[in-house]
Amino acid sequence: VWMHPAPRHDGYDRLKQHPCGSGGQHNDFTATFTALSVGENTLEFREPVYHRGAPVRIAFTHGDDSRYDEYVLLDHIPHCDACSGRENNQRGAYHKVGVTVPDVLCREEDKCALQLVQIMSDKFTTPCEPDQLVNSCGSSSWTYFSCANVLVNGTTPVAQLAKTYTSWDGVSCPHAWHKESGGGWQKTGLYWSMTEPAKAPTPCPGGEPTDPSPTDDDGA
């Protein structure tokens, strides 16, 4: 669940429906907007329910909630296996991660948002392909979605923003999620942060990049 930027819904419920959770969160641009800067931002989220090896994706959209696959800011963020869902009075482990926000002008009327997705890869054995995300990787109980409305004081109109894809593991095109741990997560105060930098970019397996498309477990 997003902490910063402010989520459309702050709770451990209503999180299991693509692309932003259930209960009226889809295309809800009446919720709070959070101002972000162009360039590196420290974003914060929490994991209310612990799922070992479950990676995270952070993506951007504008206009409505249909473009997250076109602007993936950081994919395959490895799970913090040292964290615990019992931290912070059962609210879950707090995470901080550095993400580069593009040079884009996002006013309220531009309807920009960030999507946080966690793929519960401890629930299945076959890796989840990017085009399966719209179906929550095969089951409504296998993926969490949290969205947050944002403002960015950049210069590029949203209609001119180029598509982008960045992954922590360095692969330069969308690829399947599986159990993914690492990142050298360390805790300072209440927050866990990755100490290992993202990997250097590597070519897409098989050549040309493809366009993005739409167990330790406590039962959630």
Side-chain angles (χ1 to χ4, degrees):
V1 180
W2 279 123
M3 297 174 64
H4 174 73
R8 292 178 183 173
H9 171 66
D10 187 8
Y12 60 82
D13 59 335
R14 296 162 51 186
L15 300 175
K16 295 180 179 179
Q17 183 174 307
H18 180 273
C20 288
S22 58
Q25 296 182 77
H26 184 220
N27 287 330
D28 179 12
F29 290 94
T30 64
T32 300
F33 280 80
T34 300
L36 300 178
S37 304
V38 173
E40 185 81 0
N41 285 253
T42 299
L43 307 182
E44 302 172 6
F45 63 91
R46 62 188 177 90
E47 184 186 30
V49 180
Y50 180 90
H51 291 278
R52 180 180 292 273
V56 167
R57 187 189 84 164
I58 295 172
F60 169 86
T61 193
H62 62 83
D64 57 28
D65 282 335
S66 67
R67 297 182 173 86
Y68 293 112
D69 291 345
E70 299 177 15
Y71 308 101
V72 177
L73 304 185
L74 192 61
D75 199 356
H76 292 271
I77 300 170
H79 186 257
C80 174
D81 286 352
C83 296
S84 169
R86 297 179 177 85
E87 297 181 37
N88 305 304
N89 294 318
Q90 308 295 321
R91 284 177 56 82
Y94 296 171
H95 300 68
K96 287 185 177 182
V97 62
V99 173
T100 300
V101 173
D103 180 8
V104 61
L105 177 59
C106 281
R107 304 155 296 185
E108 287 195 21
E109 58 265 35
D110 296 309
K111 298 181 178 179
C112 299
L114 291 187
Q115 178 199 53
L116 178 75
V117 177
Q118 185 178 31
I119 297 91
M120 290 177 262
S121 51
D122 58 335
K123 297 269 193 176
F124 48 84
T125 56
T126 302
C128 176
E129 297 292 339
D131 61 0
Q132 296 176 303
L133 191 60
V134 67
N135 297 317
S136 297
C137 294
S139 169
S140 61
S141 64
W142 288 355
T143 311
Y144 292 130
F145 301 92
S146 177
C147 292
N149 300 331
V150 298
L151 305 171
V152 185
N153 191 24
T155 60
T156 305
V158 290
Q160 298 176 20
L161 186 64
K163 296 180 182 180
T164 186
Y165 180 84
T166 301
S167 183
W168 187 86
D169 61 11
V171 179
S172 55
C173 60
H175 50 292
W177 297 282
H178 48 84
K179 283 189 177 181
E180 301 172 30
S181 304
W185 291 93
Q186 290 188 2
K187 191 174 185 181
T188 302
L190 296 178
Y191 286 86
W192 292 85
S193 301
M194 283 195 297
T195 59
E196 296 178 12
K199 311 299 183 187
T202 59
C204 298
E208 293 297 320
T210 57
D211 287 333
S213 311
T215 71
D216 286 330
D217 169 43
D218 61 6

